[in-house]
Amino acid sequence: MKAPLASLTAAPLAEVAQALRRRAVSPVELVDAYQERIERTANLRAFITPPGQRARREAQRAKQQLARRGAGALLGVPIAIKDLFATRGVRTTAGSRILRDWVPSADAALVTRLRAAGAVLFGKTNLHEFAYGVTTANPWWGVARNPRDVRRSPGGSSGGSAIAVVAGLCAAALGSDTGGSIRIPASLCGCVGLKPTYGTLPLDGAVPLGWSLDHAGPLTRTVEDAGILFDALSGGRAWRQAQRVATRGLRVGLLHDSIVRPLQPGVSNQLEKAAAALRRHGLRVRDVRLPEMGWTVVTQLVTLRAEASAAHAQWIRARPRAYGRDVRIRLQLGALVAGADYVLAQRMRAKITQAVRGVFDDVDILLLPTTPITAPMVGERTVRWRTGAEPVDGALVRLTAPFNLTGVPALSIPYGEVSGLPVGLQVVGRWNDEARVLAVGRLIEALASR
């Protein structure tokens, strides 16, 4: 591989798009370079359906459009798609055995928007079966591996998308997030993941898991890339607005409640370093408490169990053995959730949302870790704390799920490492305030590199 191409496969989306616009590289050359890397890293199990000749044909068309100075913010840029979003003429499995032969006749809404922006659709990435889990240990399509350490989990459910970004197998990727499924793999693998405000990005044509919790969003190498891709997906101008946001004087709330404890010492240290760096740059950092957050774990559990079981009601009754064991058990348990319990969970959810709304009267941004641990070993089931054991799955969603329940935007940014493994910090903002979230995220990203 030519040296410039080798460096470009590890470059941010913004740099890739610029190189394509300058015609310093052609989309076909770029696709071939990524494809070569995909073949060399097959052991990571990043893709269920790798990009093939169809992607190369799209790249050829993009090359012609670039020669004619065609429009499109992502013209010729290879974007990987979580295999939960329908793609016309390309198999869409949702990581399942049940849909292993489904070839949709129409694109999901966000895939349509990516095409309109000129992106090259670059394969379908691996995920936890039906997105119902946080490990991407897929029984049908292979156990995904963390590119930073193949003995470790990449997280999930958008594990394949995060792997593809971090391993340099695409310029960026599309993921989905129901309890942390964009932000968790971003944290564990070491990339940027944005869960925007609930409802901002359409989910038509995406296989549902929890209707009131599902979000879509980008996984990228940089905060700028996340902003560029989010704007292409939303048709908005959040990234342009973010570049005009003055961060000095912003009020940052450090969440201090039972839900944030325990943390691995290294994760806690990185959070403290980030808070100190923000203070030095003129942001007003203070501790805040949200005791209602203590109810988020059970509220999320009841809500998701009921909604996922409703979404899968027909298949789980007719074909229970067509599911992997962990997902089958979750769906069967969800069928036992009483209607009264679901209603009570929504009442508590409203109280949590109101508490979050109240805290944003006092601060502009919340800052907390994305995950309380770095990447666990593949197959590891419990985290050992001084106070006892916690299930790995529970630990990984503990700090992300509250923001699915409330629907506020949340961004995970890499900030430092612990024993060679990345730490993710989470920036959370008011509803529809992605611009400020991105602006603070960009500042934290810059501070992390110093």
Side-chain angles (χ1 to χ4, degrees), residues 8 13-23 25-28 30-31 34 57-79 113-121 171 228-229 232:
L8 206 55
L13 178 154
E15 187 177 327
V16 170
Q18 188 178 46
L20 289 166
R21 284 281 176 202
R22 293 198 322 265
R23 295 166 70 186
V25 64
S26 83
V28 177
L30 190 58
V31 160
Y34 282 128
R57 288 194 297 271
E58 288 185 22
Q60 186 64 51
R61 287 194 293 271
K63 179 181 178 181
Q64 294 166 359
Q65 290 176 285
L66 284 162
R68 297 194 298 268
R69 306 294 181 188
L74 303 176
L75 186 53
V77 178
I79 307 290
R113 292 185 181 187
L114 286 173
R115 289 191 195 276
V120 173
L121 302 187
I228 291 169
L229 187 48

Side-chain angles (χ1 to χ4, degrees), residues 48 83 91-103 129-130 138-141 207 308 311-325 327-328 331:
I48 288 176
D83 198 19
R91 179 177 64 175
T92 301
T93 72
S96 73
R97 179 178 164 190
I98 290 172
L99 295 177
R100 69 182 306 142
D101 298 317
W102 181 40
V103 179
E129 183 183 11
F130 283 117
N138 193 297
W140 317 116
W141 303 102
V207 178
H312 286 265
Q314 184 175 349
W315 285 334
I316 193 63
R317 284 197 298 265
R319 307 172 62 184
R321 295 295 166 184
Y323 290 89
R325 184 176 182 273
V327 173
R328 180 175 71 247
L331 291 172

Side-chain angles (χ1 to χ4, degrees), residues 38-277:
I38 289 169
E39 290 168 2
R40 291 205 313 266
T41 58
N43 63 312
L44 298 178
R45 302 285 188 178
F47 288 89
I48 288 176
T49 302
Q53 285 303 308
R54 180 184 291 263
R56 205 168 191 278
R57 288 194 297 271
E58 288 185 22
Q60 186 64 51
R61 287 194 293 271
K63 179 181 178 181
Q64 294 166 359
Q65 290 176 285
L66 284 162
R68 297 194 298 268
R69 306 294 181 188
L74 303 176
L75 186 53
V77 178
I79 307 290
I81 311 294
K82 184 177 183 177
D83 198 19
L84 194 74
F85 296 90
T87 40
R88 182 181 69 248
V90 178
R91 179 177 64 175
T92 301
T93 72
S96 73
R97 179 178 164 190
I98 290 172
L99 295 177
R100 69 182 306 142
D101 298 317
W102 181 40
V103 179
S105 58
D107 285 327
L110 291 178
V111 173
T112 298
R113 292 185 181 187
L114 286 173
R115 289 191 195 276
V120 173
L121 302 187
F122 205 59
K124 306 298 290 293
T125 56
N126 199 0
L127 65 150
H128 207 105
E129 183 183 11
F130 283 117
Y132 203 0
V134 292
T135 66
T136 315
N138 193 297
W140 317 116
W141 303 102
V143 176
R145 303 279 172 171
N146 194 311
R148 298 293 296 269
D149 180 345
V150 295
R151 301 169 301 168
R152 296 181 181 271
S153 170
S157 64
S158 306
S161 292
I163 294 166
V165 169
V166 173
L169 312 182
C170 61
L174 177 63
S176 72
D177 190 312
T178 304
S181 290
I182 287 171
R183 291 159 290 153
I184 292 166
S187 176
L188 301 190
C189 293
C191 65
V192 173
L194 172 65
K195 181 202 77 65
T197 302
Y198 178 76
T200 302
L201 298 183
L203 289 170
D204 309 272
V207 178
L209 179 60
W211 290 286
S212 73
L213 301 166
D214 290 346
H215 299 64
L219 290 109
T220 60
R221 292 190 179 90
T222 68
V223 173
E224 179 184 15
D225 288 356
I228 291 169
L229 187 48
F230 174 62
D231 281 357
L233 292 167
S234 66
R237 300 167 63 88
W239 176 241
R240 291 187 185 182
Q241 293 166 2
Q243 295 173 77
R244 296 194 294 269
V245 170
T247 55
R248 181 172 291 275
L250 286 181
R251 300 167 300 169
V252 178
L254 283 180
L255 196 57
H256 279 272
D257 277 299
S258 59
I259 195 170
V260 187
R261 298 288 183 266
L263 300 175
Q264 282 182 348
V267 173
S268 183
N269 289 341
Q270 293 301 326
L271 177 64
E272 290 170 8
K273 287 179 182 177

Side-chain angles (χ1 to χ4, degrees), residues 2 9 35 52 71 79 89 127 143 191 232 236-237 248 260 268 282 284-285 293 336 352 368 373 396 428 430:
K2 296 177 185 176
T9 55
Q35 183 64 54
I79 307 290
L127 65 150
V143 176
C191 65
R237 300 167 63 88
R248 181 172 291 275
V260 187
S268 183
R284 294 179 287 166
V285 182
M293 284 287 192
L336 303 177
I352 296 166
L368 66 158
I373 59 174
L396 290 176
V428 181
R430 295 181 180 92

